[in-house]
Amino acid sequence: MKASVSPDLCISCELCTNLCPEVFSMGEDGFAHGIDGDIPSDKTDDAENARDSCPTSAIDID
């Protein structure tokens, strides 16, 4: 599974980075980004929680 964040929807609230810093980080552009590569298996639930908590539904996990 991979995580991605839409820069068109991201409002830089940092909720995803606080909930799952192993998968999401803030980029130099001021928006959240998912890690390159697959989500670690032990962080899948945290990443899905971050997706479900995103106030603008900017996160996709597939």
Side-chain angles (χ1 to χ4, degrees), residues 2-58:
K2 295 185 184 283
S4 61
V5 181
S6 171
D8 294 332
L9 298 175
C10 181
I11 58 171
S12 305
C13 70
E14 298 188 37
L15 182 61
C16 61
T17 61
N18 289 325
L19 292 174
C20 190
E22 298 84 2
V23 175
F24 300 100
S25 63
M26 297 304 291
E28 291 182 18
D29 60 359
F31 297 110
H33 295 271
I35 58 169
D36 290 332
D38 291 330
I39 298 169
S41 60
D42 64 331
K43 296 300 175 188
T44 301
D45 288 344
D46 291 341
E48 290 176 345
N49 182 39
R51 175 198 61 201
D52 296 344
S53 299
C54 178
T56 62
S57 300

